[in-house]
Amino acid sequence: MRLRIGAQFVALACAWGSSFLFIKVALDGLTPGQVVWGRLVLGALALCAVMAVTRSRIPRDPGLWLRLSAVSVLLCVVPFLLFSWAEQHLDSGMASILNATTPLLTLAVGTVALADERLNRRRTTGLLAGFAGVLVLIGPGGLTGGGGDLLAELACLGATACYGVAFVYLRRFVAPLGLPAVSVAFVQVTIGAVIMLAATPWLAAPAPRVDAPIALSMLALGALSTGLAYLWNNNIVQAWGAVNAAAVTYLTPVVGVTAGVLLLDERLAWNQPVGALLVIAGIMAAHGAPKGSGAGETLEGADTVETVEGADTVGTVEAVGTVETVEAVGAVETVEAVDTATPAADEHVVR
């Protein structure tokens, strides 16, 4: 059992971290909109298979579907589009590092929107360190207007801000319903797929060029990074607890940068590891590092796909106050404890 969960943890970090590599490869023959179309459709099919295997029920409450439509736009459609567009101008490694700011932006949004979330000295120190890391990542050229990648970097930060807003919305309006995680994840990703299917007439041109590397990248991005990664994340949280499962948040940028350097011959600038370390230090200062066995922690309630993915997301899901954090993107991706790991409804995202 322990070996199986450990293998899933490694697979989850690889799936979420390499999602930016898959996007980069897919962009060789697809537009950003076509990448997101394929990602969400394949992710929905993968989650449909998970629903069938686990014999989970599809929620029938129209109000829930309406709420999850907003979540799908903020947690899947918009951030996936922003990351895909940005990677036309950025290395995949840089995109994976910027995606790691999701917990910090979620905390910032929660501080403004949630009455029970207030900044203290620890959280303020973490936010300042994290955003200092963002400034280092952007670099002096970007800050003075000399960097041509500034808009792409801002698009990545806009994507993680969408994750932050979505996670806070989930905590307030979806998590209290206590719904099965896989059912909510399926609905969220399926709604995103339907949105992209409806946009097909506007995404058909230019005609996609699909070769073996692009096809394999899209299959991995959709079925693994946006689909099965959710299931792995849920198993890890149940076995290890939310706090320890959050360690994947720190591994995904490492995987993303390493994959880009080794497989795409991307160059690693000095400011990327320095900025990434500051961002991770900020996350750890604001939320605390993984600790303990986590045996007493449980994961219940409504979850969503990212992940966090991003998750790409459905990548990191971050709990704003208890145990809600997923990295996402696109859409489901990691649960990180903010203050305490209380048995509460958490949010997951597929990325």
Side-chain angles (χ1 to χ4, degrees), residues 17 23 119 122 130 139 141 151 190 202 226 235 238 247 277-278 284 304-305 307 346:
I23 292 172
L119 286 178
R122 175 172 58 83
L151 284 178
T190 298
W202 294 274
T226 313
N235 291 339
Q238 290 179 352
L277 287 174
L278 282 171
M284 296 178 69
T304 163
V305 183
T307 75
D346 303 325

Side-chain angles (χ1 to χ4, degrees), residues 44-57:
L45 291 174
L47 283 170
C48 182
V50 172
M51 289 280 288
V53 171
T54 60
R55 298 182 179 180
S56 301
R57 295 183 178 180

Side-chain angles (χ1 to χ4, degrees), residues 28 51 72 92 130-131 143 159 164 171 186 201 212 229 240 253 293 334 337-338:
D28 284 341
M51 289 280 288
S72 181
S92 63
F131 289 118
L143 294 174
R171 185 189 174 194
F186 169 74
W240 288 358
S293 64
T334 300
V338 174

Side-chain angles (χ1 to χ4, degrees), residues 277-303:
L277 287 174
L278 282 171
V279 169
I280 292 174
I283 296 171
M284 296 178 69
H287 306 303
K291 55 188 177 181
S293 64
E297 300 167 276
T298 60
L299 181 68
E300 301 174 345
D303 301 24

